[in-house]
Amino acid sequence: MVTFIHLVHRGLRRARPAGPSPTHPAARTNPGRLRTDPPPTVAASHLYHPPLMRRTALLLIAVIGVFALVIDFWPHLRLPGLGADGGSRPIETKLGLDLQGGLKVEYRVNPAGGKTPSATDLAVIRGIIDRRVNSTGVAEPVVVTSGTDRIVVELPGVTDTQAVRSLVGQTGRLDFVPIPTTTTINNGQTIDLSKSKVCEGTGAITELCILFSGDQLDSANLGTDKNGGRAVNFVLKSGGSKLFSDWTTKHVNEQFAIVLDSTVISAPNINSAITGGQVQITNEGTIGGMPAAEATNLVNILKFGALPFPVEELSSDTIDPTLGAEFLRRSILAGGIAVGLVLVFMLLHYRLPGAVAAFALLYYALVLFAVFRLIPVTLTLAGIAGFVLSVGMAVDANILIFERSKEELRLGKSLPQAIEAGFSRAWNSILDSNVSSLITASILYLFGSSVIQGFALVLILGVLTSMFTAITVTRTILRVVVAREWARKARLYGISESEFTYRPTGRVRRGVTPGV
């Protein structure tokens, strides 16, 4: 009998509603208003975190917001110790090729001598092309391998595209060729070395021969001649140094050509015997020495001239900087319209919670843009599309939360209870949705092309940031707002006054007062 009474008593407790009955004083003193005080049977500590934790959350949100504003808008900021050489790096917004304009070229590495290029050979060629491109002064060039035999070069902001393509696409067969005394060679002239042999001895020659190739070159750099004019210095390895010393000793005042892919790059005269492997090419007849462009080009070819395999240009795409600026303007306009429409929808449909979500969305945009500048992320048209998509996903989390909170309010729960229940019960759905998005975006980043990778990276960062703003920022601000007297009106939540009338949700035994 005792057991039976205990079971009836437990069933009675389950049947009690989660708040006061319509006859309870709390329901009669505030008709038409949301109840903000928890029922007597529910401790207030169950609804919120401790006050210290709430203050800490507000402080954290404020600090992150101020930090994001500084990163976004403070000019000439630099990050110390993060440059390629260990120095500082400027914090800036990096724009991709499609927004900034420039040149994109795709090359294929072809087999040579019956040998197919390996992954190591591809990496070597990529490194040589990367050094060639960097030597031109192009800001933030991108040189990446694609597949087993492709190399993609992206050069933002390039104006002289033909010069860069000529430098990058040269195979780099570099030869040092003595010129017969009966022949005169000029820079830029094409000579056929396909049938030329290696020079034998140091005697006079009547046809072209190759003294040594670029593999005997140790280093090259810009220098100055005895008059202070611009010159080119290069150092030969021991084998090339001995050959060059023997040849120049017996062929003073004769021409000697440096040939790249059958094109004469430089054809200076031998003024004196050159021993020790230290060689200098000058133009003493001109004030200032060699022209800057010619000297720089010669140094680049000497330093980065030889590729282990020939490369073939498959495709190229040149985007005018003006067109890139137009793309950027339209992208910003489209993104602004999308965000604006989302904000208007949230304000009209969810009223006060929608206003909080709108603030959290602007906060999200500031924080995410700061992350882009810190990493840094190169923004492209595809990346902007990923950002707009992540905005929708951030709002989607708030929609789930607010709809669940409205359901809880219709069931008769007080405002703090409904807000907490909305966040708690929508969290599993939000987490599952975001994890699914992260998995998909990660697969796109790992296996997609460079364009797809840009989209995926922006989406991943956006989803992670939105989880913070949708849950932490929105929840913390709502907790502060609902505690205010002016926020306790039904119309601020898109629900009619009648929907706040308390209705018990369970069966109550006669003679038992609910909520007591």
Side-chain angles (χ1 to χ4, degrees), residues 49-231:
H49 294 302
L52 178 60
M53 187 175 296
R54 296 201 300 272
R55 289 194 296 269
T56 303
L58 285 172
L59 180 61
L60 177 63
I61 292 172
V63 170
I64 293 177
V66 172
F67 180 73
L69 286 172
V70 172
I71 295 298
D72 289 342
F73 301 111
W74 195 279
H76 311 302
L77 282 178
R78 301 184 69 88
L79 285 178
L82 295 180
D85 56 353
S88 61
R89 174 182 67 78
I91 298 176
E92 57 187 356
T93 304
K94 293 181 62 178
L95 299 180
L97 195 68
D98 49 0
L99 297 179
Q100 186 176 349
L103 174 67
K104 178 179 180 180
V105 189
E106 182 177 359
Y107 295 96
R108 180 173 63 197
V109 181
N110 294 322
K115 182 182 178 183
T116 301
S118 63
T120 302
D121 295 325
L122 207 64
V124 170
I125 294 174
R126 191 207 66 80
I128 293 175
I129 292 178
D130 187 44
R131 290 192 294 270
R132 288 182 183 180
V133 169
N134 283 317
S135 67
T136 63
V138 176
E140 303 294 340
V142 177
V143 182
V144 295
T145 58
S146 177
T148 58
D149 63 347
R150 306 294 171 89
I151 295 178
V152 179
V153 181
E154 295 184 0
L155 308 173
V158 167
T159 54
D160 190 359
T161 59
Q162 189 57 44
V164 174
R165 289 170 66 183
S166 298
L167 175 63
V168 171
Q170 289 173 337
T171 302
R173 167 72 184 184
L174 192 65
D175 295 308
F176 291 78
V177 181
I179 305 300
T181 55
T182 56
T183 305
T184 301
I185 297 294
N186 298 316
N187 291 357
Q189 184 175 336
T190 301
I191 58 178
D192 185 9
L193 297 178
S194 59
K195 298 181 180 179
S196 299
K197 300 179 180 179
V198 177
C199 299
E200 299 179 357
T202 57
I205 58 174
T206 57
E207 60 183 18
L208 296 176
C209 64
I210 300 173
L211 188 62
F212 53 85
S213 297
D215 57 351
Q216 294 298 319
L217 188 67
D218 188 42
S219 63
N221 60 277
L222 290 173
T224 55
D225 57 25
K226 60 183 180 181
N227 298 321
R230 192 178 293 104

Side-chain angles (χ1 to χ4, degrees), residues 141-432:
V142 177
V143 182
V144 295
T145 58
S146 177
T148 58
D149 63 347
R150 306 294 171 89
I151 295 178
V152 179
V153 181
E154 295 184 0
L155 308 173
V158 167
T159 54
D160 190 359
T161 59
Q162 189 57 44
V164 174
R165 289 170 66 183
S166 298
L167 175 63
V168 171
Q170 289 173 337
T171 302
R173 167 72 184 184
L174 192 65
D175 295 308
F176 291 78
V177 181
I179 305 300
T181 55
T182 56
T183 305
T184 301
I185 297 294
N186 298 316
N187 291 357
Q189 184 175 336
T190 301
I191 58 178
D192 185 9
L193 297 178
S194 59
K195 298 181 180 179
S196 299
K197 300 179 180 179
V198 177
C199 299
E200 299 179 357
T202 57
I205 58 174
T206 57
E207 60 183 18
L208 296 176
C209 64
I210 300 173
L211 188 62
F212 53 85
S213 297
D215 57 351
Q216 294 298 319
L217 188 67
D218 188 42
S219 63
N221 60 277
L222 290 173
T224 55
D225 57 25
K226 60 183 180 181
N227 298 321
R230 192 178 293 104
V232 173
N233 299 329
F234 63 91
V235 179
L236 297 173
K237 296 178 182 178
S238 57
S241 174
K242 184 178 186 312
L243 290 172
F244 201 59
S245 175
D246 294 342
W247 184 269
T248 56
T249 300
K250 296 187 177 181
H251 294 273
V252 176
N253 295 326
E254 294 182 13
Q255 262 192 316
F256 192 94
I258 301 175
V259 182
L260 179 66
D261 293 339
S262 300
T263 301
V264 177
I265 303 301
S266 181
N269 287 324
I270 301 173
N271 294 330
S272 62
I274 301 173
T275 59
Q278 305 284 338
V279 185
Q280 184 177 75
I281 301 176
T282 64
N283 191 0
E284 296 180 357
T286 303
I287 297 177
M290 299 179 66
E294 179 184 344
T296 302
N297 184 58
L298 179 56
V299 168
N300 290 336
I301 290 174
L302 291 174
K303 290 173 68 176
F304 317 124
L307 294 178
F309 290 88
V311 295
E312 175 188 359
E313 182 178 317
L314 294 181
S315 63
S316 64
D317 187 14
T318 303
I319 300 176
D320 186 83
T322 304
L323 186 60
E326 178 66 15
F327 286 160
L328 178 61
R329 186 189 68 80
R330 292 187 180 185
S331 300
I332 294 176
L333 177 62
I337 292 174
V339 173
L341 291 175
V342 169
L343 294 179
V344 170
F345 168 78
M346 295 298 292
L347 289 172
L348 293 179
H349 192 70
Y350 293 103
R351 315 290 175 82
L352 181 58
V356 174
F359 171 80
L361 192 61
L362 296 177
Y363 183 91
Y364 159 83
L366 288 174
V367 172
L368 187 59
F369 186 55
V371 173
F372 289 165
R373 288 170 61 87
L374 281 173
I375 289 180
V377 175
T378 301
L379 290 178
T380 62
L381 289 173
I384 292 178
F387 167 74
V388 175
L389 179 60
S390 67
V391 168
M393 298 181 67
V395 172
D396 179 63
N398 285 321
I399 289 175
L400 289 174
I401 294 167
F402 296 157
E403 286 295 335
R404 186 63 192 180
S405 297
K406 289 167 70 172
E407 291 178 5
E408 299 295 330
L409 287 172
R410 292 188 179 105
L411 291 175
K413 287 189 176 181
S414 65
L415 182 56
Q417 282 182 314
I419 295 298
E420 293 300 317
F423 278 92
S424 300
R425 296 182 180 180
W427 167 243
N428 289 335
S429 300
I430 295 171
L431 180 62
D432 292 344

Side-chain angles (χ1 to χ4, degrees), residues 36-51 54 414 416-417 420 479:
T36 58
D37 297 325
T41 56
V42 181
S45 61
H46 291 173
L47 301 178
Y48 294 125
H49 294 302
R54 296 201 300 272
S414 65
Q417 282 182 314
E420 293 300 317
R479 282 172 172 169

